[in-house]
């Protein structure tokens, strides 16, 4: 069974004449260890797809299952727990808490899950070291470069050992060199650490790191092809 | 440290200025409640110490219900009860000493003169003589004092100490010393009963009977005590002497008013915290969204916000209590000179544990409560907000229900004022304030439009005035909350100012009316007469015989109590009875009459009947009207006095008082001691000669201070003002948090409109224009808050004055606080501009590109 399964996933914003169908009967399956890039022009529904997969928004119609668990049936608290334990998020603008250090930011999901601060921070340090930030554990976001901030965000996404990492334009705010590093890291997450990674991007060069590219237009998945 | 606490402390530390300003609101609220809360217990403690009788080491202690002396033959009636082993009568009296009576460095303000029967007293109390001898029958002007008192006065065995008495100053030779007692009451000067009766002009009388019983076993001793009670009747009390409970009641009323101000300040603090947390939640929508996205549930988010509130609440309360203590000490020491001067008691700060608990509960509670709604709103932030830009707030709808409820509340408040019922009027004060807060959002637009017109003239051609006006009216709820905080702040200033002006006006009018004579002979305490030692009738005769003196009026004092079903609680109230000579009194003094009139009242007192004038407090306490009969407890039994008028003078302002004729006072209370004199010179009299004579005569009676009438009025006014200057400073402090409220609202507005401001700058608005828009908005906000504040303040002060009138206690004239209104307007608008400076600078200094990108 696939890790991500969607069936006729549809999201309509507004109602009546002003209704906009952001996602139109999308069907998608992603397996563990797979790195999928979602591409398409602005407004094609790729972010909406990502939000629905992450349980950040509820579909108008259709269903999403993550790791065999249908999201529709989950309460707000259960959904929060699912995001905490099974899904890691990477955002375009990093969304780090400015007053916390790298370690504290990366440790957040574990702390929210009730892990003791000592253990959470130790694990955060291990992940940060693994992705090359061993020297910047105590730095606050404003003391880090954009690429480094995104690495902290990735460490935060990985710390609970999620089955799925969702990345929304993770390189949208980075220079070319940092973009390549981050894309390489996401690939490594899928290949070496056997997570499903789904990344939304505008950039074909970054999409090329993925082994599968999903093309969208007007809310529909128009192509689902494997690289190479 | 857990995550909540880490985030709370880091966020608070990251915004030091805001944390400081917000916490300050709580600090000030708690400070006022704590500081004022210290005052009354301090006063009470000092007061009780001053009036406390000797501690009862004996099995039974009997006093008359009025506290006055009674015939020593009562001893025989108690002695007749079987089970009474030893019995002794004594005559005790607190003697208020004039300032510096024992030299400049003397700290003693009062002494207890105790006359004992030397033959039985040692069986009742232990008198361990360390030097000299004990008293013996037939001793004259000799006394025993404690070693501590001897040290304090710098006297030794066989030296003499002087004491003011009704017969003038007497010198008592010290024949024995006893160890100092660790009691809180006044130091005792012990003499023989016979000598005390002579010095206190009370032959054959005692005011305390003490007895030891044949058994200590409880059931048996209770039976004996009951037998004694049956023997004596209900006009006697078994226990300590009554202390001036009626005065404490008046003080408690004062504390309720102060607590109301403290609570209003805390409420204002609550508004500010509420607004601040709304700012915080608005600022951190992205952070909160991210936390939700990575798995924080709603309860966790509520926890984050409330932890921050808790940290601030605890911090603010702790600092508030610390500063409150200092404030309490400041008020206590600041007013102690005045209190000592008027009432002859020494105060030191007293902190009751309950005050600490109440302050903590209120300080922390208000913070948490104020943080609750923003916390809940934070928990509703969707995880998506971490990713996509917020759409910005659109026009906010005004709640019609709120407006209608608010209008109804204000209507009830105004109706209560018309009806004149005190409970309704007091409730109306709260309803009016809450009603204004509820109705405020609906009023924001019309008021903003009106003031906007003014601003348009100032900022003509730029359009910034209109922009500011638009910014306010699209969030009327938020503008109303800010205006609400400003309103409460200024309402306190105007309201309390109005009360003070009215109170000062009323008191001074009464003062001039009742104390307008050429000279006054003033005892150490003019509010609580109990400890004052007066003079026998000879002094009055001496004064009257001075060449040039036209008229002399004197006051006499006795304690009494009144039983009435109308009196709440015990059904009994302690009252001060003042004896006047109605003919002299009507010529030289005067009252404000609430019922009845002066000529009829004084004529009725002059008749050979038991007639009385009662003051407003007593009339209200016991529900008395003109024509009612009032059963007064006297040492000669209960007597019915008919009420001929209800009226007050400045001396009886705060205490249950009945005025009777001096003839009746002598008859029923066996008192002929004058405790206060007013002297007028005859027309064309030689002032210098009269002055010289008066000084010479009064020198023999140092318990009185000779003052010139108009100088005394000036002195009284100065003392009164010195208390109120402190009060006005306190009011200024109370208004300060409204500044923070405006600052917060402006800051939140700037943060929320970052992109809008960027856009304005991008299309060509200058920094100056952006700056002026924010300042204009602040001025509008301040104007709305000030308008509401003045309205609410005027209402509050009017309610106070009318409320006092409605209780029938005093007739108070409402004095419109013009100065208060002007000050509030100035303060409100200046605060508006000051509060705008920081956010306006922040907005005008914004980098255009970053502002446009801001999400």
């Amino acid at each position: 069974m696939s890790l991500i399964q969607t069936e006729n996933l549809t999201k309509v914003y507004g109602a009546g004449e002003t209704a906009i169908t952001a996602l139109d009967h999308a069907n998608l399956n992603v397996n563990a260890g797979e790195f999928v890039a979602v591409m398409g022009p602005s407004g094609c529904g790729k972010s909406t797809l990502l939000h629905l997969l992450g349980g950040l928004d509820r579909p108008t119609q259709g269903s999403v299952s993550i790791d065999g668990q249908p999201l529709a049936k989950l309460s707000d608290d259960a959904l929060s727990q699912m995001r905490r334990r099974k899904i890691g998020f990477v955002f375009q603008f990093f969304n780090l808490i400015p007053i916390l250090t790298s370690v504290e930011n990366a440790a957040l999901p574990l702390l929210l899950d009730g892990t003791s601060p000592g253990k959470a921070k130790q694990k955060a340090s291990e992940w940060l070291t693994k992705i090359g930030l061993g020297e910047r554990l105590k730095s606050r976001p404003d003391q880090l470069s954009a690429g480094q901030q995104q690495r902290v965000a990735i460490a935060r996404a990985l710390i609970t050992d999620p089955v799925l990492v969702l990345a929304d334009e993770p390189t949208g705010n980075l220079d070319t060199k940092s973009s390549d590093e981050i894309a390489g890291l996401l690939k490594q997450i899928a290949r070496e650490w056997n997570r499903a990674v789904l990344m939304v991007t505008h950039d074909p060069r970054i999409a090329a790191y993925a082994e599968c590219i999903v093309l969208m237009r007007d809310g529909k998945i128009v192509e689902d092809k494997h690289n190479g | 440290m857990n995550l909540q606490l880490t985030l709370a402390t880091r966020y608070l530390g990251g915004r030091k200025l805001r944390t400081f300003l917000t916490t300050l609101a709580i600090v000030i609220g708690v400070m006022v409640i704590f500081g004022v809360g210290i005052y009354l217990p301090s006063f009470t403690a000092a007061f009780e110490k001053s009036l406390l009788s000797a501690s009862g080491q004996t099995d039974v202690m009997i006093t008359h219900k009025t506290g006055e002396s009674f015939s020593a033959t009562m001893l025989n009636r108690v002695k007749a009860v079987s089970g009474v082993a030893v019995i002794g009568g004594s005559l005790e009296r607190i003697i208020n000493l004039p300032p510096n009576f024992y030299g400049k460095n003397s700290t003693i303000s009062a002494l207890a003169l105790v006359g004992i029967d030397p033959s039985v007293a040692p069986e009742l109390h232990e008198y361990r003589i360390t030097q000299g001898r004990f008293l013996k029958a037939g001793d004259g002007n000799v006394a025993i004092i404690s070693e501590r008192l001897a040290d304090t006065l710098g006297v030794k065995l066989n030296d003499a100490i002087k004491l003011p008495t009704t017969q003038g100053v007497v010198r008592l030779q010290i024949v024995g010393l006893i160890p100092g007692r660790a009691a809180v009451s006044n130091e005792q000067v012990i003499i023989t009963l016979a000598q005390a009766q002579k010095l206190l002009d009370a032959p054959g009388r005692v005011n305390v009977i003490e007895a030891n019983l044949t058994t200590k076993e409880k059931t048996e001793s209770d039976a004996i005590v009951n037998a004694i009670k049956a023997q004596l009747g209900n006009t006697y009390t078994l226990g300590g002497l009554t202390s001036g409970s009626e005065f404490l009641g008046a003080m408690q009323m004062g504390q309720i008013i102060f607590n109301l101000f403290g609570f209003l300040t805390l409420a204002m603090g609550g508004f500010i915290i509420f607004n601040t947390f709304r700012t915080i939640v608005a600022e951190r929508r992205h952070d909160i969204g991210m936390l939700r996205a990575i798995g924080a549930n709603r309860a966790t988010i509520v926890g984050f916000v409330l932890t921050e509130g808790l940290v601030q609440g605890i911090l603010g309360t702790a600092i508030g209590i610390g500063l409150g203590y200092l404030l309490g000490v400041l008020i206590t020491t600041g007013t102690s000179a005045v209190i000592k001067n008027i009432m002859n008691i020494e105060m030191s700060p007293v902190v009751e544990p309950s005050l600490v608990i109440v302050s903590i509960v209120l300080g922390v509670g208000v913070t948490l409560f104020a943080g609750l709604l923003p916390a809940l709103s934070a928990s509703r932030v969707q995880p998506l907000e971490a990713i996509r830009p917020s759409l910005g707030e659109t026009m906010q709808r005004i709640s019609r229900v709120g407006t209608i409820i608010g209008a109804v509340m204000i209507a009830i408040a105004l109706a209560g004022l018309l009806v004149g019922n005190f409970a309704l009027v007091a409730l109306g004060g709260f309803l009016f304030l809450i009603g204004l807060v509820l109705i405020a959002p609906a009023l924001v637009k019309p008021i903003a439009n009106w003031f906007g017109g003014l601003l348009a003239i100032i900022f003509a051609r730029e359009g910034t005035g209109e922009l500011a006006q638009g910014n306010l009216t699209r969030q009327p709820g938020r503008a109303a909350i800010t205006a609400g905080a400003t309103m409460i702040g200024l309402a306190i200033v105007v309201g309390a100012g109005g009360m003070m002006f009215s109170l000062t006006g009323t008191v001074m009018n009464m003062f001039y009316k009742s104390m307008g004579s050429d000279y006054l002979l003033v005892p150490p305490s003019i509010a609580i007469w109990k400890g004052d030692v007066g003079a026998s009738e000879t002094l009055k005769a001496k004064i009257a015989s001075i060449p040039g003196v036209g008229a002399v009026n004197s006051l006499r004092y006795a304690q009494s109590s009144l039983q009435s079903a109308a009196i709440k609680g015990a059904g009994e109230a302690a009252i001060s009875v003042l004896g006047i000579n109605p003919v002299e009194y009507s010529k030289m003094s005067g009252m404000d009459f609430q019922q009845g009139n002066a000529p009829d009242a004084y004529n009725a007192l002059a008749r050979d009947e038991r007639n009385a004038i009662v003051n407003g407090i007593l009339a209200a306490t016991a529900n008395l009207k003109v024509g009612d009969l009032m059963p007064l407890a006297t040492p000669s039994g209960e007597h019915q006095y008919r009420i001929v008028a209800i009226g007050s003078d400045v001396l009886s302002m705060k205490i249950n008082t009945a005025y009777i004729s001096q003839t009746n006072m002598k008859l029923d209370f066996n008192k002929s001691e004058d405790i206060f004199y007013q002297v007028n010179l005859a027309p064309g009299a030689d002032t210098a000669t009269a002055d010289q004579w008066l000084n010479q005569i009064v020198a023999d009676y140092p318990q009185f201070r000779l003052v010139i009438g108009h100088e005394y009025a000036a002195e009284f006014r100065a003392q009164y003002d010195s208390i109120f200057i402190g009060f006005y400073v306190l009011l200024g402090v109370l208004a300060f948090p409204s500044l923070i409220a405006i600052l917060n609202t402006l800051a939140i507005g700037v943060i929320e409109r970052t992109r809008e401001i960027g856009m304005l700058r991008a299309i060509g608005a200058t920094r100056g224009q952006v700056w002026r828009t924010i300042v204009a908005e602040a001025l509008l906000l301040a104007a709305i808050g000030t308008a509401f504040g003045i309205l609410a303040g005027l209402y509050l002060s009017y309610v106070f004055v009318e409320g006092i009138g409605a209780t029938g206690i005093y007739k108070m004239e409402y004095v419109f606080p013009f100065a208060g209104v002007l000050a509030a307007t100035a303060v409100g608008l200046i605060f508006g501009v000051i509060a705008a400076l920081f956010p306006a600078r922040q907005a005008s200094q914004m980098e255009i590109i970053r502002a446009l990108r801001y999400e």
Side-chain angles (χ1 to χ4, degrees), chain B residues 247-265:
Chain B
F247 193 78
L248 286 179
M251 285 298 292
Q252 272 152 4
M253 176 80 182
Q255 194 184 25
I256 290 171
I257 292 174
F258 271 107
N259 276 347
L260 184 71
F261 284 127
F263 191 76
L264 281 177
T265 319

Side-chain angles (χ1 to χ4, degrees), chain B residues 55-247:
Chain B
S55 56
Q57 301 164 19
T58 50
D59 295 342
V60 181
M61 179 166 154
I62 300 160
T63 55
H64 193 262
K65 201 156 75 175
T66 60
E68 291 293 344
S69 65
F70 47 88
S71 165
T73 53
M74 290 304 290
L75 279 156
N76 298 330
R77 284 166 74 171
V78 180
K79 211 181 278 177
V81 175
S82 100
V84 174
V86 194
I87 183 163
S90 57
L91 186 61
E92 308 183 7
R93 170 104 183 235
I94 307 288
I95 295 189
N96 274 334
L97 299 169
N100 306 326
F101 186 68
Y102 292 121
K104 278 210 170 141
N105 300 323
S106 166
T107 53
I108 295 173
S109 60
L111 288 172
L113 184 69
V114 182
I116 56 166
D117 180 348
S119 59
V120 291
E123 291 178 60
L124 292 161
H125 294 278
E126 188 194 0
Y127 296 93
R128 198 155 60 80
I129 299 292
T130 52
Q131 278 183 62
R133 64 167 176 89
F134 189 62
L135 297 172
K136 58 176 192 276
D139 268 346
N141 280 340
V142 301
I144 292 175
I145 62 170
S146 74
E147 288 170 335
R148 192 168 55 195
L149 179 60
D151 278 352
T152 315
L153 298 179
V155 291
K156 303 184 301 294
L157 193 69
N158 297 323
D159 284 354
I161 63 165
K162 56 176 184 170
L163 214 58
T165 73
T166 56
Q167 318 295 320
V169 175
V170 294
R171 306 183 78 83
L172 302 169
Q173 192 199 358
I174 301 163
V175 292
L177 291 174
I178 53 174
R181 293 188 308 147
V184 286
S185 56
N186 292 303
E187 283 284 353
Q188 295 183 335
V189 175
I190 304 165
I191 59 176
T192 62
L193 178 61
Q195 190 64 11
Q197 286 167 339
K198 194 172 149 197
L199 292 178
L200 296 175
D201 201 12
R205 298 178 83 81
V206 294
N207 62 1
V208 178
I209 296 177
E210 286 175 296
N212 278 339
L213 307 180
T214 48
T215 174
K216 298 275 178 200
E217 202 276 317
K218 192 165 181 323
T219 352
E220 288 175 37
S221 62
D222 281 355
I224 302 170
V225 166
N226 285 333
I228 297 175
K229 276 185 189 165
Q231 185 62 240
L232 294 173
N234 65 0
T235 49
Y236 288 84
T237 312
L238 271 71
L241 286 172
T242 51
S243 56
S245 53
E246 74 280 11
F247 193 78

Side-chain angles (χ1 to χ4, degrees), chain B residues 612-687:
Chain B
I613 300 169
V614 296
N615 73 345
I617 290 187
L618 180 55
T621 311
N623 193 22
L624 298 171
K625 301 182 300 295
V626 169
D628 285 356
L629 281 175
M630 168 176 68
L632 270 189
T634 78
S636 59
E638 195 172 271
H639 294 291
Q640 298 286 343
Y641 276 78
R642 183 171 300 283
I643 294 162
V644 293
I646 296 173
S648 312
D649 73 2
V650 73
L651 297 174
S652 69
M653 259 190 71
K654 295 188 200 114
I655 301 170
N656 286 331
T657 305
Y659 298 84
I660 61 172
S661 68
Q662 291 180 348
T663 319
N664 282 333
M665 181 165 272
K666 171 81 187 156
L667 197 68
D668 293 342
F669 291 89
N670 195 42
K671 279 258 176 124
S672 56
E673 176 184 334
D674 293 314
I675 46 148
F676 185 83
Y677 299 86
Q678 286 175 294
V679 182
N680 266 355
L681 299 183
D686 179 2
T687 316

